[in-house]
Amino acid sequence: MGFFSKDIKTMDDLFLHTLQDIYYAENKIEKALPDMIDKATAPELKAGFEQHLGETTSQIARLDQVFEKLGLEAEGVQCPAIDGILEEADEVAGEVDDDRVLDAALIAAAQAVEHYEISRYGTLIAWARELSHSDVADLLEETLEEEKATDTKLTELAEGSVNASASS
Ligand SMILES: [Fe+2]
Ligand SMILES: [Fe+2]
């Protein structure tokens, strides 16, 4: 789907495009998380990433359900935004020597991912409601709550211990 060929004509097309974007993003995140689990040192951070990997897998299954409810094939469309966020995370992590500083960098990267997801799901839920897909909106709402909870947990970890130990 290219913007120059003007494949997005209606609000339904735009909704579908954005759904495919987050489907691609969730799949990329699922592939990136094992590496972040490996790199994390603080046990609570490792455990938090592990939990979110499980959630991400079920979020992908939830998106499969969304496509099914809409009578559409589940497929992704390349999302340069998430590619960029993950690429930058990898680059920065590769430059950090100290394990505790690396934990702070991993949290910062993970929060950039969560904020991207929160933004996308917020938009999708509003559009789904507008397009009278309230059952789809309810499913997406469940995922949004998980993304927000993950973001809050990451803030608590950073401000509770990781930033201080990285700075000492
Ligand atoms: Fe997600
Ligand atoms: Fe997430």
Side-chain angles (χ1 to χ4, degrees), residues 30-43:
E30 189 188 36
K31 284 190 187 73
L33 272 166
D35 187 46
M36 294 174 81
I37 293 167
D38 270 0
K39 283 177 178 155
T41 300

Side-chain angles (χ1 to χ4, degrees), residues 24-120:
Y24 173 95
E26 291 286 16
N27 277 282
K28 289 285 291 227
I29 294 162
E30 189 188 36
K31 284 190 187 73
L33 272 166
D35 187 46
M36 294 174 81
I37 293 167
D38 270 0
K39 283 177 178 155
T41 300
E44 316 92 288
L45 182 58
K46 229 182 228 300
F49 283 154
E50 267 159 12
Q51 187 193 328
H52 201 51
L53 175 56
E55 281 170 349
T56 300
T57 303
S58 61
Q59 290 169 358
I60 294 169
R62 211 175 270 143
L63 286 172
D64 284 325
Q65 263 181 277
V66 166
F67 280 106
E68 204 184 304
K69 276 184 186 297
L70 297 168
L72 299 163
E73 182 112 4
E75 60 174 339
V77 66
Q78 202 192 351
C79 166
I82 201 71
D83 285 344
I85 290 172
L86 292 173
E87 218 170 277
E88 186 179 355
D90 211 44
E91 261 174 45
V92 172
E95 297 293 323
V96 180
D97 205 29
D98 183 289
D99 283 347
R100 292 162 313 167
V101 176
L102 180 56
D103 276 354
L106 289 170
I107 291 181
Q111 287 196 282
V113 170
E114 293 314 308
H115 285 217
Y116 179 75
E117 293 181 290
I118 288 167
S119 142
R120 280 292 180 250

Side-chain angles (χ1 to χ4, degrees), residues 118-130:
I118 288 167
S119 142
R120 280 292 180 250
Y121 281 110
T123 297
L124 280 165
I125 290 161
W127 288 349
R129 296 215 186 283
E130 195 59 45

Side-chain angles (χ1 to χ4, degrees), residues 94-166:
E95 297 293 323
V96 180
D97 205 29
D98 183 289
D99 283 347
R100 292 162 313 167
V101 176
L102 180 56
D103 276 354
L106 289 170
I107 291 181
Q111 287 196 282
V113 170
E114 293 314 308
H115 285 217
Y116 179 75
E117 293 181 290
I118 288 167
S119 142
R120 280 292 180 250
Y121 281 110
T123 297
L124 280 165
I125 290 161
W127 288 349
R129 296 215 186 283
E130 195 59 45
L131 295 166
S132 305
H133 300 306
S134 62
D135 49 344
V136 165
D138 291 346
L139 278 172
L140 298 173
E141 200 70 76
E142 286 177 43
T143 297
L144 177 61
E145 289 316 309
E146 289 171 358
E147 309 296 17
K148 283 183 182 169
T150 301
D151 182 49
T152 302
K153 201 154 114 191
L154 287 166
T155 298
E156 284 166 4
L157 263 177
E159 294 180 352
S161 56
V162 171
N163 290 350
S165 94

